[in-house]
Amino acid sequence: LVLAAKTYAALRDMNEIKLIACDLDGTLLLHGAQACTRKALELIGELCDRGIYFVPASGRQYPNLRRLFAPVADRLIYLCENGAVVIKDDRAVIKREFPWELAMEASHAVLEREDCEVLISGERTSYIIPKKDSYRRLLVETVKNDVVVVKEPEEIPEPIVKVSFYTDPKDRDIAGKALGGQFAGRLSQVVSGLEWIDFTLPGSGKGSALAELGKKLGILPGQMAAFGDNENDRTMLEYVGHPYLMRECNPSMENLKYAARCATVEEELENLLKKCNGNKKVG
């Protein structure tokens, strides 16, 4: 009955979508791209003109996301760090902090593994203790995060919202299993990319952050759409009334029910704009 009610609500609200959440890597940014297409930015601008919220929903940090969406940056809501931080009008409206001791324990557990690099996230800053300079260059020059290098996790001067580890894709699942067992019942893990796994607080993630944001904005699940491709998108896609799963997704996501499949986000945004023709332009 709950599922039937949700499906009915989704169909009923098809022309009244008020919020679109979109993963970045492997979804809006395909094949390793590190910049949005001009077409995507134009479509996002049109969504904003129609009063539809566009929410980048990523494991990335806030400054990184703002740079990616520079032409429309002030018009968006940002679901950052896999839902640990949500920022609207340059202010954190949702922020989920790790208990300090648990954050330190997880950070040191990653540092002790020779096959892993650690990334410790504050609200707007990535803190690293790089074992190889190539890792620092990846985050600064390719990913373009705001990065601070520290000698020890204890030097970090702000609350921690996420702890992640980076490793060779062939070692990712082995490292994830070992570290996951170490923190079973205290921290959850989500795959965030070929080389990345994030520790999250139990019950947190993109889905719960989107649910909390929806309550703040007065937007129902049936009035939301979302795009994703990986396990860190699962709870978000399961929550919204209009989920879209990328055709080139993580194979583990193939069992996601009721999600439409799409090749590119841009194509579906064009279709959604046509379906949302009842939303008049703002201004």
Side-chain angles (χ1 to χ4, degrees):
L1 290 175
V2 172
L3 178 59
K6 181 177 178 180
T7 303
Y8 172 77
L11 292 171
R12 181 193 62 200
D13 294 330
M14 185 60 123
N15 295 323
E16 299 181 10
I17 290 176
K18 296 183 178 181
L19 184 151
I20 297 173
C22 187
D23 175 54
L24 273 291
D25 298 290
T27 302
L28 186 62
L29 303 180
L30 295 174
H31 311 301
Q34 294 296 321
C36 297
T37 65
R38 182 169 67 178
K39 182 178 181 181
L41 293 170
E42 290 173 352
L43 290 167
I44 292 166
E46 186 172 349
L47 289 167
C48 295
D49 289 342
R50 290 174 180 267
I52 299 168
Y53 291 108
F54 188 83
V55 182
S58 174
R60 295 184 181 224
Q61 62 169 209
Y62 173 61
N64 180 297
L65 292 175
R66 279 195 62 90
R67 281 190 285 271
L68 281 169
F69 294 93
V72 292
D74 291 334
R75 309 181 72 184
L76 310 184
I77 301 174
Y78 298 89
L79 194 158
C80 319
E81 307 289 0
N82 276 331
V85 178
V86 177
I87 293 183
K88 183 178 186 291
D89 300 325
D90 201 38
R91 182 177 67 85
V93 295
I94 298 170
K95 185 173 179 179
R96 294 166 174 168
E97 300 176 2
F98 271 55
W100 182 260
E101 293 301 325
L102 183 57
M104 294 299 101
E105 185 182 351
S107 300
H108 280 289
V110 175
L111 285 168
E112 288 170 5
R113 291 189 63 92
E114 294 183 1
D115 57 351
C116 293
E117 296 272 10
V118 72
L119 188 153
I120 309 166
S121 300
E123 181 181 308
R124 304 177 188 221
T125 304
S126 295
Y127 298 93
I128 61 173
I129 304 109
K131 297 168 184 174
K132 297 180 180 178
D133 193 57
S134 58
Y135 175 60
R136 181 195 64 80
R137 293 199 308 272
L138 170 73
L139 290 176
V140 174
E141 299 171 11
T142 302
V143 180
K144 294 182 168 50
N145 273 11
D146 282 8
V147 173
V148 171
V149 176
V150 294
K151 294 181 180 179
E152 296 289 343
E154 287 77 8
E155 294 179 13
I156 295 171
E158 63 171 308
I160 306 305
V161 299
K162 192 180 72 175
V163 177
S164 310
F165 59 91
Y166 172 89
T167 188
D168 189 288
K170 66 179 175 59
D171 299 324
R172 187 197 67 192
D173 292 343
I174 296 172
K177 183 177 181 179
L179 289 166
Q182 189 172 343
F183 293 94
R186 295 187 292 161
L187 290 173
S188 302
Q189 288 185 351
V190 290
V191 174
S192 198
L194 288 175
E195 303 94 351
W196 292 98
I197 290 183
D198 295 343
F199 283 116
T200 63
L201 295 172
S204 66
K206 292 184 181 181
S208 61
L210 199 57
E212 188 173 344
L213 177 63
K215 289 179 181 179
K216 291 179 180 293
L217 298 175
I219 298 175
L220 300 172
Q223 297 170 310
M224 298 182 184
F227 295 83
D229 75 306
N230 215 331
E231 285 295 340
N232 61 330
D233 305 315
R234 181 179 289 275
T235 57
M236 175 175 73
L237 295 176
E238 290 176 336
Y239 177 75
V240 303
H242 306 279
Y244 292 83
L245 181 64
M246 305 305 292
R247 287 181 188 166
E248 295 185 20
C249 64
N250 185 330
S252 69
M253 294 292 286
E254 296 285 354
N255 63 1
L256 188 71
K257 296 181 179 179
Y258 312 112
R261 300 301 289 265
C262 65
T264 70
V265 172
E266 289 92 334
E267 180 181 355
E268 295 304 325
L269 290 183
E270 286 184 312
N271 293 334
L272 284 168
L273 280 165
K274 293 174 184 176
K275 293 172 184 176
C276 296
N277 55 15
N279 295 65
K280 296 181 180 180
K281 289 192 175 183
V282 176

